[in-house]
Amino acid sequence: MGTGTGIGRVRGLGSARHGAHHWLAQRYTAVGNLLLVLWLIFSLVTLPGLDYESVRNWIANPLVAVPLALMLVSVFWHLRLGMQVMLEDYVHDKGLNFLSILLLNFYAIGGAAAGIFAIAKIAFTGVVK
Amino acid sequence: MARTTSRPLSPHLTIWKWGPHMAISILHRVTGNGLATVGMIGIVWWLMAIAMGPEAYDTFQKCATSPIGYLVMIGLSWFFFQHMMSGLRHFVLDMGAGYELNTNKTWSMVIPVLSTLATVALWATIFAGKF
Ligand code: HEM
Ligand code: HEM
């Protein structure tokens, strides 16, 4: 293996030198998830109803739309980092690994964009009535 | 992948006696990836359905409140609590604490109990409110 040497790094066999940042970002986003997902669960349970009108009106409130969008950013970022580690462990073929990380990026960015767009549409088209 | 085959490898899974800490570790991976796929597709589906209108939400609601829908949601809630608590355990271990054999084993056994209790409490609250 080329760990540490210049040519090894060029070939992608050594340390990519992003490990500590990856590890820290996993922890920062974990704290974000902890707060925001617990908030979502608590809100869903205490909401008077989960019918279309109630949920739509709830999300239209800026004090809900913003944390909900932040939750999507935090969770999708966290899962992008986390699933990358899982794929690196189990998908050994270099080409397949590259492809799976590519698809993971599509999923994470696409999923977050879809969710945030949905929230924005609900928030900007206002409360139904 | 290019690798030097003459290098020694550490002994793999098969030679170890299974213990609670190993179960917690692999469960962290299973629950994290389960939430990342099934859980987040569900959340985005839910948001998209609201954004698209009453008919789409109706379809979503029919799926979510079917027996399978409830099973999935109850499972996801256990997955979340389990992942959350083993994630908090990670924070403790990251600080270099909790590695003593007995401490480590005890917390590894307490965490699934706590997440099951949290799941039961959550759904008891939900169903108590409903009926
Ligand atoms: C619903 C929200 C969440 C999702 C979708 C999620 C997803 C994931 C995934 C896919 C991994 C990678 C697991 C692996 O393959 O080893 C992971 C790792 C991790 N998660 Fe989460 N997670 C969520 C919430 C949380 C929360 C609330 C915490 C903390 C309280 C947390 C703490 C961690 C930590 C510390 C790791 C890294 C473990 C390691 O370094 O081996 N996660 N998460
Ligand atoms: C761990 C996470 C979850 C919790 C704590 C939770 C909470 C609830 C609650 C409070 C109920 C009972 C329905 C009622 O009493 O009317 C329910 C059903 C439902 N859930 Fe979940 N849920 C979770 C996962 C999800 C997800 C991921 C979504 C969105 C994708 C969702 C959206 C809904 C909707 C819209 C219903 C049907 C509501 C109705 O017919 O009144 N839930 N869930």
Side-chain angles (χ1 to χ4, degrees), chain A residues 1-17 94:
Chain A
M1 295 262 248
T3 313
T5 69
I7 189 68
R9 221 173 282 138
V10 168
R11 289 175 180 152
L13 298 174
S15 162
R17 319 195 88 205
K94 268 202 129 187

Side-chain angles (χ1 to χ4, degrees), chain A residues 53-129:
Chain A
E53 294 261 310
S54 320
V55 175
R56 203 191 147 89
N57 291 346
W58 181 65
I59 295 177
N61 180 347
L63 292 177
V64 173
V66 172
L68 204 53
L70 289 175
M71 186 200 77
L72 288 176
V73 172
S74 182
V75 173
F76 273 108
W77 188 356
H78 180 86
L79 75 81
R80 205 220 70 93
L81 296 165
M83 290 189 78
Q84 179 190 340
V85 174
M86 181 273 297
L87 292 169
E88 283 167 353
D89 283 353
Y90 300 138
V91 184
H92 296 296
D93 181 83
K94 268 202 129 187
L96 274 184
N97 189 265
F98 182 86
L99 181 68
S100 49
I101 304 277
L102 180 93
L103 293 178
L104 172 60
N105 281 307
F106 284 0
Y107 172 63
I109 295 172
I116 291 168
F117 181 85
I119 295 169
K121 187 186 170 204
I122 296 162
F124 292 144
T125 52
V127 174
V128 272
K129 177 118 302 162

Side-chain angles (χ1 to χ4, degrees), chain B residues 7-30:
Chain B
R7 284 177 138 218
L9 291 172
S10 57
H12 202 50
L13 289 173
T14 44
I15 75 155
W16 307 105
K17 178 166 168 280
W18 267 81
H21 55 300
M22 293 163 79
I24 284 292
S25 176
I26 194 60
L27 269 176
H28 190 73
R29 173 152 285 190
V30 171

